[in-house]
Amino acid sequence: MSEKERIARRSVLKAIPAAAVLAATSDGLFAGRSEAAPVASAPPGEFPQPVVWTSQSAILEHTLDVRFTDVTVPGYGQVATRTYDGTIPGPTLRVRAGDTLRLTQVNGLPPNPAHHGDHNRPHDFNSFNLHTHGLHVSPSGDADNVHRAFAPRTADEVAAGAPEPRYVTTVDIPAGTFWYHPHLHGATSVQIVGGMAGVLVVEGDVDEVPEIAAAADVVVCIGELRLKDGRVPDFTSGGALAAVPATLAVNGALNPTLTLRPGEVQRWRLVAATAFTALSLQLTCGSENLTFHLIAQDGVTFPAVVASDVVDLAMGNRADVLVRGCEPGTYELRAAGVSAPLMTVEVAGAPVEPPMALPTALPPGKPFLHEDDIADPDADREVAFHVDPGVFEGPFPNAFRCLGTHATPAADPAGDLTRDPAHGLFDPRHVNHTLRLGTVERWTVRTDETNPAFNHPFHLHTNHVLVTHRNGERLDPPVWHDTIGLAGGAPGDRVTFLVRYDDFTGRTVAHCHQLQHEDLGMMQTVDYVR
């Protein structure tokens, strides 16, 4: 292993915290045609793969049909839940860098019950929108705009026989492995733990590296279902979802089996499509481990291949890895703290002779930023994730706050801020961060949590961030992310990153990607301006 590879491996392993399963706490149908062509997947063995839709002539047009569906989850049974196109996960969307993605979404869900409460309380579960997680695209208009609401028909419209409403999302996209999911404040966690998520693959120059192009391309979408009697429980209290054991499914099945020949290399696109649970992944066979060869994180290619026995994914992270079969045997993809394997890998069959090669070089990834680029070193931004228990009466007592340098103002600045009903809570009328295009800034994000099992991943929409320090230790080289896991401790995790606000104006959000926390107010508004 070269010195460059050793440095890159140390940096990547430090950049991601030791993931842990979040402990349960008290708060803690297809319709419409598409212009794109579906591709019949050819997975190794019987390993399930989502339906794939690919772009044609630089555009992918597809209709996503959203409605309640009875779905069979192999290994679990029948589930009644909201879906994209009647499947868990939804279809994989495969395009190339520079293509246009145009999705028409049909809302076939029933009318929403009236909601007259606070905006930081769960509501409007039958409305949604679309977030293309990790993509550097416009947050405005009909693009990656999480302030839109794709509402269902009203009761009067249903009675009158009005057609189901349709909503269009259009984005022009860069390369990498990403995912899509709804992101309507107050309803996000309920919809994602019901299976509303899908993988978005954008092909680029790393896909043309000969050793990578020769490998089977396998989507491994790890979804988290929270089911009680085959349904997602109503989100009526802080513990309504968190207290339900997680059912972790890979491509919509429990513990599916994938076949890998000795000497064969496969490229796995690992997607943590989870709302509550962080994943620390290993591929084990007794005391033996298969090595992950990481080539990209959160859609950004690494400077060099990084070999590791562990891949840590916070909720929302992705990792592109190469896996090469070695000694025949039955291996299991396991997550720390999860009793059952996520999937089984059978290394079997005729060996590939000579063994397939791993790449020795990767194309240049996203260029690094430098501290000399910072526009105003005295204007660093800080975000601190903090929970105050017992602030509110009723079934949602805890206050999930984003504190720091740009916190939402308190209702009573002179009062007890730990009991304040507004301080640090999401307010859609308040802009927390005004970010000017072309500017490089430094942020520090930390968690006040003391329990290592309590994770507050930080996610900034629209722009990737370059993590330069974790817990005070400089990373060499730094690592690009769009989502950063922050585990509790004494003290809790702290990261410093640089970010440049490029290309796109408009309002969007930064938030905790434990999505129940986001629904309950652990989110801020950012406004990208010229």
Side-chain angles (χ1 to χ4, degrees):
M1 180 183 294
S2 71
E3 179 63 19
K4 180 179 180 182
E5 291 170 320
R6 285 195 296 269
I7 291 174
R9 180 178 187 275
R10 290 198 302 269
S11 181
V12 169
L13 297 183
K14 291 174 183 173
I16 308 173
V21 176
L22 178 66
T25 67
S26 62
D27 275 337
L29 306 187
F30 180 70
R33 73 175 188 87
S34 167
E35 297 303 320
V39 175
S41 57
E46 298 301 316
F47 187 70
Q49 289 284 268
V51 171
V52 180
W53 292 85
T54 60
S55 60
Q56 294 183 337
S57 302
I59 188 168
L60 171 52
E61 292 191 88
H62 182 60
T63 297
L64 285 174
D65 189 75
V66 177
R67 64 186 67 246
F68 277 102
T69 314
D70 292 328
V71 182
T72 299
V73 176
Y76 178 89
Q78 198 81 355
V79 175
T81 187
R82 301 170 184 86
T83 64
Y84 291 117
D85 286 2
T87 63
I88 301 175
T92 294
L93 309 177
R94 182 177 285 269
V95 296
R96 291 195 60 82
D99 286 357
T100 295
L101 176 66
R102 182 173 296 122
L103 298 174
T104 298
Q105 292 137 96
V106 178
N107 190 337
L109 297 169
N112 282 312
H115 175 72
H116 304 293
D118 188 271
H119 59 270
N120 287 325
R121 292 293 174 265
H123 61 282
D124 291 351
F125 301 139
N126 294 327
S127 296
F128 57 94
N129 55 30
L130 191 79
H131 175 42
T132 50
H133 186 117
L135 284 183
H136 178 60
V137 297
S138 173
S140 303
D142 65 354
D144 185 30
N145 186 347
V146 298
H147 296 297
R148 301 173 74 191
F150 300 167
R153 294 178 293 178
T154 65
D156 289 344
E157 288 171 335
V158 172
E164 293 172 338
R166 292 172 171 249
Y167 303 90
V168 176
T169 298
T170 305
V171 293
D172 300 312
I173 43 185
T177 298
F178 306 95
W179 64 301
Y180 63 91
H181 61 82
H183 202 300
L184 185 66
H185 183 59
T188 306
S189 57
V190 166
Q191 293 168 351
I192 289 183
V193 299
M196 282 186 69
V199 177
L200 175 55
V201 174
V202 189
E203 297 175 353
D205 52 5
V206 71
D207 300 273
E208 298 171 1
V209 174
E211 296 88 350
I212 297 174
D217 193 330
V218 183
V219 168
V220 182
C221 182
I222 305 171
E224 176 179 20
L225 305 174
R226 296 270 172 157
L227 303 169
K228 187 175 182 179
D229 300 326
R231 302 182 69 90
V232 177
D234 292 336
F235 192 5
T236 54
S237 70
L241 297 178
V244 176
T247 297
L248 295 175
V250 172
N251 297 339
L254 272 59
N255 190 20
T257 298
L258 180 148
T259 301
L260 179 66
R261 294 166 60 192
E264 178 192 5
V265 173
Q266 294 179 0
R267 187 235 191 112
W268 296 358
R269 298 180 185 266
L270 299 170
V271 179
T274 58
F276 288 76
T277 302
L279 304 169
S280 183
L281 302 176
Q282 287 187 296
L283 195 53
T284 65
C285 178
S287 60
E288 299 293 322
N289 285 357
L290 279 183
T291 300
F292 298 108
H293 301 274
L294 288 85
I295 59 174
Q297 171 79 42
D298 286 355
V300 179
T301 304
F302 284 149
V305 178
V306 178
S308 176
D309 289 341
V310 180
V311 173
D312 285 313
L313 300 177
M315 303 75 114
N317 279 141
R318 287 90 57 220
D320 287 50
V321 302
L322 301 175
V323 177
R324 182 161 57 190
C326 51
E327 292 299 316
T330 300
Y331 295 76
E332 293 177 335
L333 182 67
R334 286 191 166 269
V338 179
S339 59
L342 302 181
M343 72 185 211
T344 297
V345 179
E346 292 286 355
V347 179
V352 177
E353 296 289 355
M356 293 174 65
L358 297 167
T360 57
L362 298 175
K366 188 176 176 66
F368 291 151
L369 302 173
H370 302 281
E371 292 178 347
D372 292 343
D373 300 328
I374 296 173
D376 184 355
D378 296 323
D380 288 3
R381 298 176 187 270
E382 180 180 348
V383 175
F385 291 128
H386 179 86
V387 182
D388 284 320
V391 175
F392 303 107
E393 295 182 357
F396 298 96
N398 295 352
F400 291 87
R401 307 188 194 272
C402 294
L403 304 180
T405 55
H406 296 75
T408 302
D412 181 7
D416 182 356
L417 296 183
T418 67
R419 320 311 297 164
D420 193 274
H423 181 51
L425 296 173
F426 175 63
D427 182 348
R429 300 162 298 182
H430 178 77
V431 175
N432 299 89
H433 303 277
T434 299
L435 310 176
R436 302 190 181 280
L437 289 195
T439 301
V440 174
E441 292 187 326
R442 179 168 49 209
W443 294 47
T444 296
V445 183
R446 61 181 174 86
T447 174
D448 289 343
E449 296 296 341
T450 57
N451 185 346
F454 212 81
N455 203 308
H456 289 301
F458 174 83
H459 177 44
L460 174 67
H461 287 213
T462 307
N463 290 285
H464 276 74
V465 304
L466 183 67
V467 179
T468 60
H469 295 75
R470 177 172 282 278
N471 298 328
E473 186 173 352
R474 180 178 289 276
L475 306 183
D476 184 15
V479 180
W480 288 104
H481 285 274
D482 59 55
T483 307
I484 310 166
L486 296 168
D493 279 343
R494 170 192 296 262
V495 296
T496 299
F497 61 75
L498 303 179
V499 55
R500 181 168 58 211
Y501 317 121
D502 281 334
D503 301 321
F504 304 110
T505 60
R507 289 192 181 186
T508 187
V509 292
H511 61 91
C512 174
H513 215 277
Q514 203 279 28
L515 292 172
Q516 175 166 306
H517 300 168
E518 180 270 313
D519 277 335
L520 297 177
M522 197 171 262
M523 184 162 70
Q524 296 182 322
T525 297
V526 302
D527 190 9
Y528 295 112
V529 301
R530 295 194 184 280

